[in-house]
Amino acid sequence: MFEKVLVANRGEIAVRVMRACEELGINTVAVYSEADKNAGHARYADEAYNVGPARAADSYLDGEAIVEAGEQAGADAVHPGYGFLAENADFAARVEDSEMVWIGPSSESMELLGEKTSARKEMAAADVPTVPGTDDPVESADEIAEFAEEAGYPVAIKAEGGGGGRGLKVVESEDEIEDQFESAQREGEAYFDNSSVFVEKYLESPRHIEVQIIADHQGNVRHIGERDCSLQRRHQKIIEEGPSPALTDDLRAEIQEAARRGADAADYYNAGTFEFLVEDAERGEDGLLGEGSNFYFLEVNTRIQVEHTVSEQLTGIDIVKQQIRVAADEELPFAQADVELDGHAMEFRINAENAANEFAPATGTLETYDPPGGIGVRLDDALRQGDTIGGDYDSMIAKLIVWGQDREECIARSRRALAEFGIEGITTVIPFHRLMLTDEAFSTGTHTTNYLDEELDTGKIDEAQEKWGPGETTESDEEEVTERDFVVEVNGKRFEVNLEERGAPPIQASGGSGGNTQQLGSAGPSGGDDDGDSSASASTAEGEQVTAEMQGTILGVNVAEGDEVAAGDVLCVLEAMKMENDVVASRGGEVVEVAATEGESVDMGDVLVVLD
């Protein structure tokens, strides 16, 4: 077994992996950016190393800096979590070429299954059904139009390295192809460093079903049940549950076996998830999808997933521990017949977003953070009261996982747990989750992937936010206690220093944990000294200023000085918390200044464009 594991991630998944390591008697190493000096995962780990500035591309996506940190710490394995470099085959190969072990599938499997077109070919060879589409990347809008003419609209343009809805564009008619083609390419390049795209027939109202896989180096492949992830907004999962409330036992078993067969054919080992779409065909008398329903392979996630917790609650199997043991060349300790699903489980992503404002990301300080508890309630997080939620990374605060003996009890327990969840100082999606648990379509399990985007009355979301959202906060009258907590770095390694001084005036906190930060020596393995602050220039032109509504990164600028624009025209594209947002003109006019440049980070309120 390993002695020290580096976790190449941040937030709740980093802490989740570290907890598993601690129970296995393994020491842990965290990596963190300048923005995360006081983050929960850096506090939790036995050691922590600075790998660069706030911008993810210069820190959490810097594979060289992360491997250097692992070597400096003397780690003998790397766990990637999910997101960032977790599905990057080049990073996996870099770790494999080092003295450290990669806790995941081989880089060859990741490359084979991570690219959607090669994965489609592999699954078709294993007799796993695939959605009608192109088996190779498309090079032009004309190729997409040709496919759509044959298959019929709508079609989906997908980034070859995509996932989670990023790099996915739905085309309803021929005149949309060019713009959506370019957008999918842009997102693929920005998120996955791969602008290649392919095209599939778009299934308008499917169920999203995924199967958890774990396999060892000895050739044993096990599935750990399925999860239903059909409640989505813009292809981003919001509530996940298991078992699926929509499938017959026969169809469930057929999908699970297809996933196991696909993993076996691809020589896959470690944890992974095989995702499928099930056409919402006519339901049987029992209201379930079974005979007459078609299912299609969607993609393989060659890593642990956000919603792995659902499978853990249903089976009692610690998937992260099994990942670590498999990487240490241990054989799986259970047979397929030993995997039994008990009860029903749901996972609620507690995101810092305002559902009443198109799920816009929110930032702020957790003035109150009081999670629920009780039987059947699990919480995965990395934050504590007083921590700050910034806009540098995704918007997840925590994951609330609830188990019940059946779906009815699980829903009732979830209502109770969400009502107990006390968060103040920042807007979250908790009111939205509470609404869903009273919604007829969700409660009866008849919702599909397009339910939130196309069918739900958005007025109900506004009402839920008003009813269950945070109220006004007041200043505390309690006497302030002066504490001086310092985070210092020596040769890039993080140390915490706590000083207590009586009779000293209060000091202004600089980080989410209430601590001042002092840096000694280098900035860490990356050697960088950029603090990740916005580089947007101050505007000197007169006119109407179009500003950033949130912190993020400019993915593209669509206008130049002297251009004439009309109301609604897209001026630039801003990526914030994993979502692409169009910044549009509120009125027509001439562009007299463009203050934003592609690739730069901007803060809320920064001037992007000036119109005359």
Side-chain angles (χ1 to χ4, degrees), residues 26 31 45 52 86 101 136 150 206 221 243 295 335 342 358 421 531 596:
I26 300 171
V31 292
V101 174
D136 294 298
E150 180 179 343
V221 182
F295 70 90
D342 179 25
E358 294 291 321
F421 210 141
D531 61 6

Side-chain angles (χ1 to χ4, degrees), residues 225-373:
E226 97 287 350
R227 300 181 291 256
D228 193 315
C229 305
S230 300
L231 196 73
Q232 303 178 7
R233 179 186 177 272
R234 291 172 61 179
H235 309 288
Q236 293 288 322
K237 302 168 188 174
I238 296 181
I239 299 176
E240 302 99 345
E241 63 179 309
S244 171
L247 305 182
T248 62
D249 289 341
D250 288 345
L251 183 57
R252 173 179 290 110
E254 194 176 347
I255 295 173
Q256 291 171 350
E257 173 56 25
R260 193 210 61 76
R261 188 169 64 248
D264 189 38
D267 294 325
Y268 189 94
Y269 59 76
N270 214 277
T273 300
F274 282 65
E275 301 197 352
F276 299 88
L277 295 178
V278 181
E279 281 188 315
D280 194 16
E282 184 175 345
R283 295 170 181 257
E285 293 182 0
D286 55 5
L288 301 178
L289 298 175
E291 186 176 352
S293 297
N294 296 317
F295 70 90
Y296 302 100
F297 168 78
L298 177 64
E299 63 184 8
V300 181
N301 286 288
T302 57
R303 52 168 169 79
I304 196 73
Q305 276 195 287
V306 177
E307 59 272 21
H308 74 278
T309 57
V310 170
S311 299
E312 290 181 332
Q313 296 307 109
L314 292 174
T315 64
I317 296 172
D318 188 321
I319 299 172
V320 175
K321 282 185 181 177
Q322 294 302 327
Q323 281 191 287
I324 296 169
R325 288 174 171 143
V326 166
D329 211 26
E330 294 184 15
E331 190 171 355
L332 289 174
F334 55 89
Q336 186 62 65
D338 297 329
V339 179
E340 297 182 356
L341 304 186
D342 179 25
H344 199 92
M346 292 184 178
E347 178 184 272
F348 302 86
R349 303 188 185 200
I350 310 301
N351 293 340
E353 297 172 359
N354 185 351
N357 184 26
E358 294 291 321
F359 288 80
T363 58
T365 300
L366 288 172
E367 297 172 2
T368 298
Y369 185 64
D370 187 13

